[in-house]
Amino acid sequence: MIKAGVLKNANGSAYIEFGDNKIMCGVYGPRDVHPKHMANSSTGILRCRYHMVPYSVSERKNPAPSRREIEISKVIKEALEPAVMLERFPRTAVDVFIEVLQADGGSRCAALDAASVALADAGIPMRDMVSACAAGKVADTVVLDVNNEEDQAGQADMPIGYMPNLEKVTLLQLDGIMSPKEYKECIETGIKGCKIVYEIQKKALNERYFGDDHK
Ligand code: ADP
């Protein structure tokens, strides 16, 4: 489930429930860059922050940004960059703030799905959506949408981000070991999942802008 335009004070926003993941995303921009020296005179810049709230996981979570949160912020930024027409907004920044309220494995993919919808909701020109989901290997079988239990017990986890119209992969990570044949099958399965997610993203934007007729 994705809902677009849920926050009044952000330029664009989206909330996603994906498995047991619950994630809120707010987008600002294009707006002036502070600190000013970070501005680029030939293009806009994209900044992303992925953050987990203390009650998002069952273990006690250190409130300081973890290495994992810094890594995920970076991969989400890099997965979104090919889709956002930043060159149209030199000297400005687009900021994407992701708050994971509840995490259940595959949260980077769910966060990316919400971020794409929030960027579109903010009216930021995009070449395509970025749709993401995780495929993986559990009990020697390639499966889609790996949750936390499967992630921990499974043999491999592969988050994929994909631009469905341009047919380009913007995020591909792999944690685990698989054969070349399984690797190919996993990518194909993941891309099929991304295409399903894309329909849900479009539905969220249609509901936001064209009302209940598009439910
Ligand atoms: P992703 O959420 O993208 O799959 P990881 O594979 O790093 O990213 O994390 C898998 C899952 O592990 C998370 O979705 C979350 O459910 C759990 N997790 C992550 N960080 C913590 C933490 N600090 N304490 C407890 N569980 C965590």
Side-chain angles (χ1 to χ4, degrees), residues 52 57 59 61 68 72 103-108 148 151-152 157:
M52 288 175 120
V57 289
E59 281 164 38
K61 187 189 168 285
R68 180 180 164 277
I72 296 182
D104 180 43
S107 70
R108 74 194 63 205
N148 197 26
D151 192 353
Q152 303 297 322
D157 172 33

Side-chain angles (χ1 to χ4, degrees), residues 105-180:
S107 70
R108 74 194 63 205
C109 295
L112 190 46
D113 294 328
S116 290
V117 173
L119 284 164
D121 181 49
I124 292 168
M126 292 166 80
R127 291 179 183 84
D128 201 347
M129 289 297 276
V130 179
S131 309
C133 76
K137 187 168 80 162
V138 180
D140 288 326
T141 311
V142 169
V143 296
L144 195 60
D145 185 18
V146 185
N147 66 24
N148 197 26
E149 252 169 56
E150 289 163 346
D151 192 353
Q152 303 297 322
Q155 297 152 300
D157 172 33
M158 181 191 276
I160 299 180
Y162 182 68
M163 293 195 284
N165 296 292
L166 297 173
E167 300 184 354
K168 290 212 153 72
V169 171
T170 68
L171 165 72
L172 183 64
Q173 294 183 288
L174 173 61
D175 184 6
I177 296 172
M178 51 176 71
S179 69

Side-chain angles (χ1 to χ4, degrees), residues 86-124:
L86 291 164
E87 68 282 1
R88 292 203 186 174
F89 307 100
R91 294 180 198 282
T92 69
V94 173
D95 288 302
V96 176
F97 294 105
I98 294 158
E99 292 294 329
V100 178
L101 308 177
Q102 186 171 288
D104 180 43
S107 70
R108 74 194 63 205
C109 295
L112 190 46
D113 294 328
S116 290
V117 173
L119 284 164
D121 181 49
I124 292 168

Side-chain angles (χ1 to χ4, degrees), residues 183-202:
Y183 181 78
K184 199 164 168 270
E185 196 186 333
C186 208
I187 293 184
E188 280 163 8
T189 306
I191 288 176
K192 272 190 208 143
C194 293
K195 289 179 180 168
I196 298 169
V197 169
Y198 177 52
E199 295 305 318
I200 300 167
Q201 290 173 308
K202 277 198 294 190

